[in-house]
Amino acid sequence: MRVGAPSRRAAVIGLLSALAIATNYAMIGIPNVKLMDSIVFLAGLSLGFADGAAVATLTWIVYGFLNPYGFVPTIWLATTLGEWLFALAGSLSRTLPGERKPPVMAALGYATTLAYDLVTNAAFAVTFGLPIWAALVAGIPFALLHELTNAAAFSLLVPRAEAAVLALLGPGARGGRIRADRL
Amino acid sequence: MEKWAAVSVLLLIWAVSASMLAVYYRSELSALNQRLSASAGGEGEYVTVNLGIGVQGGDVTWYNGTRVKKGSTLLDVTAQVADVNYTVYPGMGAFVQSINGVANSDPYYWMWWTWTDWGGWQEGPVAADRYVVADGETLFWYFEDASQSPLPTPP
């Protein structure tokens, strides 16, 4: 289901992409701790999968190409497609009944990040000719940090941010999904 | 109800995280045991390694037959033969900043390599202070353009 006028949706896609890019650079010194995943999830949740994937792709086009850690095409492709998982999870979460409960958001954040880490660490192993199992095990400390911080970010930020994004999209976006008193 | 949901999610996250950590530390222990077994050769309390230090397109110096105590790391060996400066990042290990006055300067960094029978030079898999050297091993510090992919191997 698409929500909001096209111009407003385009504006929100740009806004969320800019927010993801800016926070990525602001937090570049803290490996594996980023707000980008929550923002892409939020985009999928409030706008749908296609728009969420657009936010993910736009963010990775900028952040992937202009990255002080370097650019490797296969890693970039894996992280971009992996980021779509957050848009997909957000989109699928729209069918969840009731309000956004923090525990549910935390579980979604943790599980989706786990899937993302598996995909991207496997892609890293294939790219550099490492055994996949060894790469997955070696990446566990970094993956755990990523998963735990995303679980916290999803539970604390997403419910409030969704209400704000739907308010930006206008009255048509509410559609009974979000109660007016939450806006 | 929401309390139970929160507790359940926390327990689930804890269970998965703890299992992952258990796998990780089991793997680390296994790798360390392998390295210690490999260093069990040598004479008495010591092992002998060959260490090269070189700059891409420049000079290479070899410190062959360097004797160090069993259980020494590559960083220990390097500090024994050269002037080395490094920064320790908790959880990740020592990041070498300079060797013999040659300091990292983007895109040139100190990378370390180990010689293998099966595939020639292989890039070091962990930080130098986390790699226990084995008897008879050949290692190399290479000051190279780290922006290249794949990385240039030592000469």
Side-chain angles (χ1 to χ4, degrees):
Chain A
M1 182 182 68
R2 297 220 154 186
V3 292
S7 56
R8 285 192 179 216
R9 279 195 13 249
V12 170
I13 289 171
L15 186 72
L16 292 177
S17 303
L19 190 62
I21 292 164
T23 54
N24 273 359
Y25 285 119
M27 300 169 84
I28 203 153
I30 318 170
N32 282 22
V33 180
K34 299 280 179 290
L35 294 179
M36 167 176 59
D37 303 336
S38 310
I39 294 167
V40 171
F41 179 88
L42 171 67
L45 184 66
S46 51
L47 299 166
F49 171 70
D51 293 351
V55 171
T57 308
L58 286 169
T59 303
W60 271 106
I61 283 174
V62 177
Y63 182 65
F65 280 92
L66 300 173
N67 193 300
Y69 295 116
F71 170 74
V72 179
T74 47
I75 300 289
W76 176 81
L77 193 63
T79 50
T80 303
L81 295 180
E83 200 67 42
W84 287 14
L85 287 173
F86 292 100
L88 182 65
S91 174
L92 294 175
S93 302
R94 304 169 85 190
T95 58
L96 289 175
E99 295 182 30
R100 312 293 176 213
K101 306 280 190 195
V104 176
M105 289 294 111
L108 277 169
Y110 189 89
T112 313
T113 312
L114 181 62
Y116 172 91
D117 288 333
L118 286 173
V119 169
T120 51
N121 285 345
F124 171 80
V126 170
T127 303
F128 292 102
L130 302 170
I132 289 181
W133 174 247
L136 292 180
V137 171
I140 282 176
F142 304 100
L144 272 181
L145 178 66
H146 191 199
E147 286 143 22
L148 292 172
T149 52
N150 266 6
F154 275 54
S155 62
L156 296 173
L157 302 179
V158 168
R160 289 174 177 81
E162 185 197 10
V165 168
L166 290 179
L168 281 175
L169 287 168
R174 293 172 189 167
R177 292 289 308 132
I178 298 292
R179 295 202 322 251
D181 59 2
R182 292 186 62 202
L183 299 177
Chain B
M1 183 64 187
E2 194 170 343
K3 268 186 187 171
W4 282 111
V7 169
S8 303
V9 166
L10 277 177
L11 281 175
L12 192 64
I13 287 176
W14 170 78
V16 176
S17 302
S19 303
M20 288 167 69
L21 275 181
V23 169
Y24 174 72
Y25 282 115
R26 175 73 183 80
S27 161
E28 286 284 289
L29 180 64
S30 171
L32 188 58
N33 279 336
Q34 273 184 358
R35 302 297 311 160
L36 287 171
S37 303
S39 73
E43 300 167 19
E45 292 292 308
Y46 293 89
V47 291
T48 303
V49 296
N50 304 315
L51 180 65
I53 298 176
V55 174
Q56 190 175 354
D59 295 335
V60 172
T61 307
W62 279 101
Y63 301 91
N64 290 332
T66 304
R67 270 163 56 88
V68 290
K69 281 197 169 179
K70 283 180 180 172
S72 294
T73 65
L74 170 59
L75 190 63
D76 297 328
V77 181
T78 311
Q80 188 168 315
V81 300
D83 178 22
V84 55
N85 287 311
Y86 57 91
T87 307
V88 175
Y89 291 95
M92 298 169 79
F95 179 65
V96 168
Q97 303 282 10
S98 74
I99 296 177
N100 289 337
V102 180
N104 292 333
S105 175
D106 190 57
Y108 286 84
Y109 292 91
W110 283 105
M111 311 294 286
W112 72 267
W113 298 76
T114 178
W115 179 261
T116 64
D117 294 333
W118 50 270
W121 288 115
Q122 295 296 313
E123 195 183 339
V126 290
D129 65 333
R130 298 205 165 182
Y131 189 81
V132 177
V133 298
D135 188 48
E137 194 167 17
T138 299
L139 301 147
F140 199 95
W141 277 108
Y142 199 29
F143 188 71
E144 59 184 326
D145 183 351
S147 68
Q148 292 185 41
S149 182
L151 282 173
T153 53

